[in-house]
Structures are given as structure tokens and as C-alpha cells.
Amino acid sequence: MLRSSDDDAASAFWVRNGGGSIVTRMARELSLSSNTTPPPADQDGIWGYTALTAADTVKIYRYLLDTAPTRVRELIMGNLKQSTRCSATDHFDQHFGIAGAFDKPWAVKQGWSGFGDIEQGTCRPATSALNGKAATVDLTKPALHTTGTVGSGDRSIVAVYTLHDVGTPYGKAYTDLGRLTRSLNVPGGVRPAGTWFGTWSFGVNVRPEPNTTRDPLLQLPAGVEVLAGCQTRGQTVSVPPYTNDWWAYLPQYQGYVSNIYISSPDNQLPGVTPC
């Protein structure tokens, strides 16, 4: 659950430890604000509908880092530092926000809801994600959140919560949250080297080499913004009437994507050094 957002594991812990009473109990113990509440009564089984502010999330991280028993701190933070790119159950690419805005070391726990089936272009083919409505909390808008610590020794705590208009594609929300997170002044945070560009098309493959010989590592969320660390010549890719033999290395994904899918007027990306 902590590393790969396994929904089934979360649901098992939710039932085992009392459902909504978990939230009430921990809010009291950590002196969280009244804004932190369990899911609405008619949605009690859906732990993702807990209401929580970014400020209270920071308090939770402070508790883990400063007050929690050592075994609890090491279990939780140790797993968050090993966050996988792909969710174990709904297969969303969860390395947005903090994971894209800063170099390691970081520890992250991400959140998303309301995007429905995965659109073409993420970790795996579409399955499903929870969606729903309730009167007391806005559950109709897609949510995308990034939380965690950044820098050596968990130097800074970061929590960015966002809601998006209904119908917003996952790739746009992913990019908007990334831009917002990168705009923050985070002590101890190191920005990855490279230049950010937009992409186009659906199901764009990220490859382990600058060619299509080997299977892709994953697919980009449609329309997502990517960081080009360097570029090199490789296999020629054609999308009539265009062809391009330049490939960009994306350090976020540890792989290559053809420049033909990057929004730039020339085959070679401006300001990006050769690999």
C-alpha cells in the first residue's frame, strides 16, 4: 500500500482497524483540525473519501518524523522512499508532483480520484478508479495530490492538494500539479537538470533505448509535460508527413521518447544538450 498504492491492502487495513473511526481517533491524537473528517456516512467503506487538508497532512508527517515510535517511522517513511512509478491496482503513473519536480532523496505518498478509467497512455491498459458523490465533501471533481518529504534527512515536508474541473484529462492534471509543485521554494530540494516540454498524441511509448526494438517501459499520460535531460539520434520515426530521428532522454521515466511526439517546431529540441 505505501509503495505502490495497493487499494485492496488499504481496504483490508481500513476494515481491520475500524473504518471511519481510524480518522477520528488519529485526528484527536495528532490534534488535527476539524476539517479532517471520516468519509460521509453513506460512503463509510470508501477510505479515499476522507476529508483532509494540506496543513493537516504536514502535521501527520511531523508526527511521523518527530514523535512516532521508531519502528512506525521507519516502516512508513522507508516504504515511501521506495515508491514505485506504477500503482499496483489501478495502474496510474504515480510519480507526478514531488517525484517529478525534485531529484531524490524524496519520500512520497500520492492521491488521485475521479478520473474514471485510465485514459490511453499510462502504466498499463485501463482498469478502473473510484468515483462517487457525497453532499458534505466535493467528490465530484477529479482530485490529484502529492505529499511527502524532500531532501536529505527529510529536510522539507511538501503537501499539494488540487481539484480539477470535471472532464479534465489525467495528463493535464498531472502537468498542472507538476507545474504548481515546481513553483514552490522547497529548502533542500534539488531540481532535475533539463528542459520541460509539452507532448502530443496518445499512447506515446517511453523506450529503454532510442529505438522501437525493445518493449516500452511505459506510456506517457496523454498530453503530459516531460523533462528532456538530453537528446541523441536513433531510429527514424514517421508520423506523416513528418519524420524525426532524434530522441529525448527523460530522466523522470529513465527512458527515451521520439522527439516527434514532443511539442517543438524543430526535430532537435532547442537548449537540450546531446547525450
Side-chain angles (χ1 to χ4, degrees):
M1 170 56 195
L2 292 171
R3 295 187 194 186
S4 302
S5 192
D6 188 319
D7 292 345
D8 293 338
S11 295
F13 281 119
W14 182 256
V15 172
R16 181 187 304 177
N17 291 283
S21 65
I22 299 170
V23 180
T24 304
R25 182 171 67 246
M26 295 310 298
R28 182 173 59 249
E29 183 171 337
L30 275 60
S31 299
L32 303 182
S33 73
S34 60
N35 294 313
T36 293
T37 57
D42 61 343
Q43 303 277 11
D44 182 63
I46 305 181
W47 42 265
Y49 289 167
T50 296
L52 184 67
T53 67
D56 280 343
T57 300
V58 170
K59 284 187 178 181
I60 293 170
Y61 277 105
R62 284 179 174 161
Y63 167 80
L64 287 170
L65 295 173
D66 300 335
T67 306
T70 300
R71 63 181 180 83
V72 173
R73 177 169 56 255
E74 291 180 348
L75 173 67
I76 295 178
M77 298 307 298
N79 277 282
L80 298 192
K81 290 174 182 177
Q82 299 177 70
S83 167
T84 65
R85 174 169 292 282
C86 296
S87 163
T89 48
D90 55 16
H91 311 301
F92 274 78
D93 176 357
Q94 61 171 359
H95 276 187
F96 48 79
I98 292 169
F102 304 100
D103 283 338
K104 290 185 176 181
W106 41 249
V108 295
K109 191 71 191 81
Q110 315 284 60
W112 58 93
S113 179
F115 290 96
D117 287 348
I118 301 174
E119 60 184 86
Q120 183 180 4
T122 51
C123 294
R124 298 246 299 266
T127 53
S128 63
L130 290 173
N131 200 350
K133 298 180 180 179
T136 55
V137 192
D138 185 350
L139 302 178
T140 63
K141 290 184 178 179
L144 202 63
H145 311 318
T146 183
T147 79
T149 62
V150 175
S152 179
D154 301 305
R155 171 67 180 84
S156 295
I157 299 170
V158 178
V160 183
Y161 282 13
T162 63
L163 290 176
H164 303 262
D165 291 337
V166 174
T168 298
Y170 173 60
K172 183 181 186 306
Y174 184 112
T175 291
D176 289 347
L177 179 60
R179 289 176 176 174
L180 179 57
T181 306
R182 295 198 303 273
S183 74
L184 302 176
N185 179 19
V186 177
V190 177
R191 309 288 180 175
T195 304
W196 292 91
F197 293 91
T199 62
W200 65 277
S201 190
F202 294 87
V204 175
N205 291 313
V206 179
R207 304 276 184 176
E209 299 170 351
N211 56 60
T212 60
T213 304
R214 296 172 60 187
D215 290 340
L217 301 171
L218 75 161
Q219 294 182 321
L220 295 178
V224 75
E225 198 170 55
V226 296
L227 179 72
C230 62
Q231 58 187 332
T232 186
R233 278 197 154 98
Q235 178 182 342
T236 298
V237 175
S238 297
V239 180
Y242 305 105
T243 60
N244 197 333
D245 65 346
W246 281 92
W247 291 67
Y249 177 73
L250 310 181
Q252 280 180 288
Y253 304 96
Q254 298 182 333
Y256 295 84
V257 66
S258 170
N259 283 9
I260 205 166
Y261 296 111
I262 295 180
S263 301
S264 180
D266 299 318
N267 282 5
Q268 194 171 359
L269 301 177
V272 177
T273 59
C275 295

